[in-house]
Amino acid sequence: GESVGLHLPTLSVQEGDNSIINCAYSNSASDYFIWYKQESGKGPQFIIDIRSNMDKRQGQRVTVLLNKTVKHLSLQIAATQPGDSAVYFCAENMRGSARQLTFGSGTQLTVLP
Amino acid sequence: DSGVTQTPKHLITATGQRVTLRCSPRSGDLSVYWYQQSLDQGLQFLIHYYNGEERAKGNILERFSAQQFPDLHSELNLSSLELGDSALYFCASSVTRAGETQYFGPGTRLLVL
């Protein structure tokens, strides 16, 4: 079946640099996407979402970009901080009568001092 | 703090046993979702309840069952436990039944020995 996947399992960035985490999805019926952050021992924490009628959405230090042509989603974190170290998941929500989130495998972001 | 509470935080039990995990959604949220997170499977959707009624089933084993009570809290029952059931179990809640923005609890870590 179709699923959400991530390009890279790990990403290391220097503190203060920008981070870009990528996600590929294959289900063209998905119309809502969410990025979650999961710190060790904690539950996933909502970061930002975007609907399929948008290409870009900005939050505090985070931006999500959606490219429906190539079915690609990215999360940009500006001025990455040590507290940003975590696993980041993208999730998609498909149109249909029984909506549910399908999660990607996650990317481990490590912020180097 | 997402506002979703889960108990217990940790659970250690033996194979063949039965356990009950409890979840209280955020105030006002009518939907509760259960997920299993293991090292080799990632975050897997198990089941969704909306206002007391089952809305969708994912990869939930027949040994597992859930329910949502009139006060909207939910319980996930795991029976005839096997070693492979060891995992983190998360519940999430959302306002609507559309499966959109879901807020996760801190999880219950289950260890089956």
Side-chain angles (χ1 to χ4, degrees):
Chain A
E2 296 175 306
S3 63
V4 175
L6 289 167
H7 292 312
L8 298 171
T10 61
L11 177 65
S12 296
V13 298
Q14 292 294 137
E15 181 178 353
D17 287 352
N18 296 335
S19 302
I20 299 176
I21 300 171
N22 297 303
C23 177
Y25 68 95
S26 57
N27 195 320
S28 58
S30 295
D31 62 354
Y32 180 64
F33 304 88
I34 308 175
W35 280 100
Y36 284 92
K37 169 188 180 183
Q38 187 175 22
E39 297 174 274
S40 181
K42 297 185 178 179
Q45 175 188 354
F46 172 86
I47 301 174
I48 192 167
D49 58 0
I50 189 168
R51 296 190 182 279
S52 58
N53 61 352
M54 303 171 69
D55 296 324
K56 179 180 179 179
R57 190 162 189 223
Q58 288 183 293
Q60 186 177 12
R61 281 200 309 119
V62 294
T63 301
V64 55
L65 298 178
L66 176 61
N67 186 330
K68 294 180 286 295
T69 302
V70 295
K71 296 189 181 70
H72 183 267
L73 194 68
S74 68
L75 176 69
Q76 300 178 1
I77 304 174
T80 312
Q81 302 169 358
D84 294 328
S85 292
V87 176
Y88 290 81
F89 294 95
C90 65
E92 63 177 321
N93 187 306
M94 294 174 279
R95 279 189 291 265
S97 60
R99 282 179 169 273
Q100 62 196 57
L101 290 179
T102 300
F103 284 81
S105 55
T107 292
Q108 173 70 58
L109 174 66
T110 301
V111 181
L112 305 172
Chain B
D1 185 359
S2 66
V4 179
T5 61
Q6 288 187 250
T7 57
K9 188 163 185 164
H10 301 279
L11 199 50
I12 302 174
T13 188
T15 55
Q17 295 297 305
R18 172 190 168 95
V19 297
T20 298
L21 313 183
R22 183 188 169 105
C23 167
S24 292
R26 296 187 318 158
S27 178
D29 284 0
L30 299 179
S31 272
V32 170
Y33 309 81
W34 286 97
Y35 292 86
Q36 180 191 58
Q37 186 176 41
S38 57
L39 286 175
D40 59 345
Q41 293 289 329
L43 266 165
Q44 298 285 317
F45 166 72
L46 296 178
I47 197 164
H48 168 206
Y49 276 84
Y50 174 78
N51 203 20
E53 293 187 1
E54 182 185 301
R55 292 286 300 171
K57 269 186 174 180
N59 300 319
I60 188 166
L61 300 171
E62 286 191 9
R63 301 183 284 109
F64 296 0
S65 64
Q67 58 185 132
Q68 186 180 28
F69 295 87
D71 67 353
L72 301 177
H73 91 271
S74 179
E75 292 181 355
L76 178 67
N77 301 297
L78 315 176
S79 62
S80 303
L81 284 167
E82 302 175 359
L83 295 178
D85 297 327
S86 296
L88 274 164
Y89 291 85
F90 290 104
C91 87
S93 72
S94 67
V95 174
T96 70
R97 61 185 174 189
E100 297 190 342
T101 309
Q102 297 177 22
Y103 296 90
F104 282 76
T108 293
R109 184 176 293 276
L110 174 66
L111 180 60
V112 182
L113 300 175

